[in-house]
Amino acid sequence: MLGPWFVVGGYALAFVLMWIAGRAERRSPVASAVCYSLSGIAISEASLYWLSAGTGSDVPQLLWYAFPLVVTVLVMWRGWHQRNWVKRLDSVDEPAFGFLPHRGVAVALDHPDPSPRRATVEFTHNGHRLLGMEYSTRPPRENEVFAAAGQVAEEIDSVNSVVELRIPHVPALTISPRTGAFEPEHFTPLEDARITRNAFGWLRPDTTFGSFEVDPEFDRRYSVSTSDPEFAHAVLTGEVRELIMTDLWFRVHQVAFHGDALWTTDTGGLTEDRMFGNSRRLAVLAAAVPAPVWETWAADRDFHTAATRSDTSYDGWSGKRGGFIRTPVNRRREAADRQPVTSTSLTVRSLIALGLIALGAGPVGNSVAAITGLAPQVHLAVDNISAGGTRHCVSTTGGLSCSADRPSVRGTYTDDGGIHQVSADWSGELPRRGDVVEVMVGPLWGHPGYQIGSRTYAVLDFLICLLYPLVGLYLAKRTYLPRPPRRARRMRERLTSSV
């Protein structure tokens, strides 16, 4: 009876720890890191207990132990896929503009000791010069005993990517989202966790700069630092601030202007979706910056015209790279201020949704047929009865997992010339062995039996099993037909009413 609560409690504990970690980020980075680690442990243990206790089998444990192997295969596939899409571009291996990563700092191209890059791609797209690099926050592991295992761990924990867009030479300006910015109006621990996660690999401009205040509403959501306050004031016009506050991409991504590059970073490897998705947002931001900024600080009169003429719509920028399914899905998600989905993410979400719908469709159909009286009625020859209440326990990694039987009868009936066996949960006085009773048999696969005259268990099965297809349909709708988040809708209404 307590098994499900262990699972729910584990995920709830992880959720609370994640929220505490976000709140503690400013006051104590050490406490925040500890809470994030404990949150990960709680999620892992709750998942392992669910898989093992939920099935009473050793197979989930074997799958759990195979996790490093699965990760290794995915790493190899991702490397092959990355080389494949990079080859399709007219790219170069060495950057001609921008900055290189070095211990969390964006350093010049001629830096004597930049961090090793795992991948580099530079090409021209829609009138912009783009640069993407994949790098690690960990030092090289060539001389370590467990170098191979370390590389797998690195793939999970310390690989980052930076996407840069070439701009005229300007002073330094960074715009960073704040954690807890929407509390107490909105509770956003998952969003805050992503902000913090991205911050671990964030490349800071290699220059001296101080904080800059814009207005109370913007400062509540973002922190701004700059080496030139006048430049920051000229860039962050009302139009630019509105773009940043209404586009949820900026809510979880830090952005930096410095030298001849405008860039952002992400936790995780450099993928085709990340390269084109992040560069498109950078191009949109560059086009929103007023023309006098480029003319005054960079003496460039042509960049603003080129930036505004660039097609930054989803179709114009990404084309049909997502295929005939993912392209229209991401088009709708972009219109709804939702993050585009990768091919892996779309596949996993679709499989989960279909699995949940398939898991609940049969039981729901059978229980509905029994409730409405449409299920076929048969004469059941009772050959076994159970008074219920018997406890069945299995040993799992989390201890004993026990459940109690319902009162039931079991027997055989004849249909279409064949003899079939079925069991039915029973309410009231149980029949005796050898008695013949009428029961309803579900018409769909599984063909469970239901007692005639009592719909208690049919209604209970319907309510329990209905949860699976509802969750599957909800996930499918959130993926394929999303609505703008409530926070985004309210912000749009507020901005519209203030105009």
Side-chain angles (χ1 to χ4, degrees):
M1 295 294 292
L2 294 178
W5 294 107
F6 289 152
V7 177
V8 174
Y11 287 125
L13 176 62
F15 191 79
V16 172
L17 287 170
M18 194 177 295
W19 175 73
I20 295 174
R23 296 296 298 269
E25 179 67 24
R26 297 193 187 100
R27 297 188 294 271
S28 176
V30 175
S32 178
V34 170
C35 287
Y36 278 123
S37 301
L38 292 176
S39 176
I41 293 173
I43 292 175
S44 299
E45 292 301 317
S47 301
L48 178 58
Y49 179 79
W50 189 5
L51 292 175
S52 57
T55 61
S57 169
D58 291 334
V59 174
Q61 291 182 341
L62 295 177
L63 293 177
W64 188 268
Y65 297 147
F67 179 72
L69 178 61
V70 173
V71 171
T72 303
V73 173
L74 290 176
V75 168
M76 295 174 62
W77 175 86
R78 192 182 65 80
W80 172 85
H81 182 69
Q82 184 182 74
R83 290 190 297 271
N84 188 45
W85 71 262
V86 168
K87 287 180 180 178
R88 297 199 309 264
L89 301 173
D90 184 19
S91 64
V92 297
D93 296 331
E94 291 299 325
F97 78 97
F99 298 87
L100 302 178
H102 175 68
R103 298 181 180 179
V105 177
V107 297
L109 299 181
D110 58 355
H111 192 275
D113 184 31
S115 299
R117 287 168 279 137
R118 298 161 54 95
T120 302
V121 55
E122 181 183 328
F123 59 100
T124 299
H125 184 67
N126 283 20
H128 286 286
R129 192 66 178 173
L130 306 178
L131 171 64
M133 288 181 288
E134 180 178 299
Y135 59 96
S136 174
T137 57
R138 293 181 182 270
R141 299 174 175 271
E142 287 80 1
N143 298 325
E144 291 189 11
V145 177
F146 300 102
Q151 289 176 358
V152 175
E154 182 179 289
E155 290 285 347
I156 302 173
D157 186 55
S158 60
V159 172
N160 299 273
S161 58
V162 58
V163 175
E164 304 182 25
L165 181 144
R166 187 167 194 168
I167 59 175
H169 199 283
V170 293
L173 169 65
T174 64
I175 306 168
S176 306
R178 295 183 185 272
T179 57
F182 294 95
E183 297 176 358
E185 294 91 342
H186 298 280
F187 188 57
T188 58
L190 297 178
E191 188 177 72
D192 289 350
R194 186 175 178 187
I195 294 172
T196 305
R197 182 75 172 148
N198 282 341
F200 285 132
W202 166 242
L203 297 181
R204 305 183 308 276
D206 186 16
T207 186
T208 302
F209 50 85
S211 59
F212 179 79
E213 294 184 354
V214 183
D215 62 54
E217 190 68 16
F218 189 84
D219 294 336
R220 185 166 76 98
R221 293 168 169 79
Y222 298 91
S223 62
V224 179
S225 300
T226 183
S227 62
D228 188 336
E230 293 185 4
F231 173 72
H233 179 75
V235 169
L236 295 174
T237 61
E239 180 183 354
V240 172
R241 296 200 304 272
E242 180 180 344
L243 167 66
I244 294 174
M245 288 194 294
T246 55
D247 191 330
L248 296 185
W249 181 89
F250 292 97
R251 175 62 199 138
V252 293
H253 287 86
Q254 296 172 305
V255 176
F257 295 78
H258 183 41
D260 62 349
L262 167 62
W263 76 83
T264 187
T265 59
D266 257 305
T267 297
L270 182 65
T271 64
E272 186 176 14
D273 292 293
R274 187 164 285 157
M275 181 73 222
F276 283 89
N278 288 357
S279 61
R280 186 173 76 87
R281 281 332 202 290
L282 296 178
V284 170
L285 178 59
V289 174
V293 172
W294 310 115
E295 297 175 6
T296 302
W297 273 270
D300 193 319
R301 296 177 177 272
D302 300 326
F303 180 78
H304 179 74
T305 302
T308 53
R309 287 179 178 176
S310 178
D311 187 355
T312 56
S313 65
Y314 178 81
D315 287 341
W317 192 268
S318 300
K320 303 297 182 181
R321 298 179 183 275
F324 68 94
I325 295 179
R326 192 158 58 92
T327 296
V329 169
N330 279 338
R331 188 187 302 120
R332 288 192 293 269
R333 294 183 65 83
E334 287 283 322
D337 281 336
R338 297 286 185 178
Q339 297 294 333
V341 291
T342 63
S343 56
T344 302
S345 175
L346 183 61
T347 301
V348 171
R349 291 186 185 204
S350 301
L351 289 176
I352 292 176
L354 288 174
L356 290 171
I357 294 172
L359 185 64
V364 167
N366 287 324
S367 58
V368 168
I371 294 171
T372 58
L374 298 177
Q377 298 183 11
V378 299
H379 295 281
L380 183 71
V382 179
D383 56 26
N384 191 16
I385 60 173
S386 172
T390 303
R391 290 171 59 84
H392 299 276
C393 298
V394 294
S395 178
T396 67
T397 54
L400 291 177
S401 177
C402 302
S403 60
D405 286 342
R406 298 174 180 175
S408 63
V409 300
R410 187 177 185 85
T412 59
Y413 67 93
T414 302
D415 184 44
D416 291 335
I419 299 177
H420 306 275
Q421 193 174 58
V422 71
S423 63
D425 296 325
W426 208 264
S427 298
E429 184 179 355
L430 288 167
R432 292 176 293 182
R433 289 185 180 89
D435 288 350
V436 176
V437 297
E438 283 191 316
V439 298
M440 293 181 291
V441 178
L444 302 179
W445 183 84
H447 305 291
Y450 292 99
Q451 180 184 4
I452 294 178
S454 176
R455 291 179 169 82
T456 301
Y457 290 123
V459 172
L460 185 61
D461 288 348
F462 171 77
L463 294 176
I464 293 175
C465 297
L466 183 63
L467 180 64
Y468 293 102
L470 287 180
V471 173
L473 290 172
Y474 177 73
L475 177 59
K477 182 185 180 303
R478 287 288 300 266
T479 301
Y480 290 89
L481 299 170
R483 292 184 63 199
R486 183 178 62 177
R487 170 156 50 87
R489 296 197 301 269
R490 290 185 175 180
M491 188 179 299
R492 288 175 178 176
E493 293 173 356
R494 185 165 57 250
L495 291 172
T496 302
S497 61
S498 62
V499 174

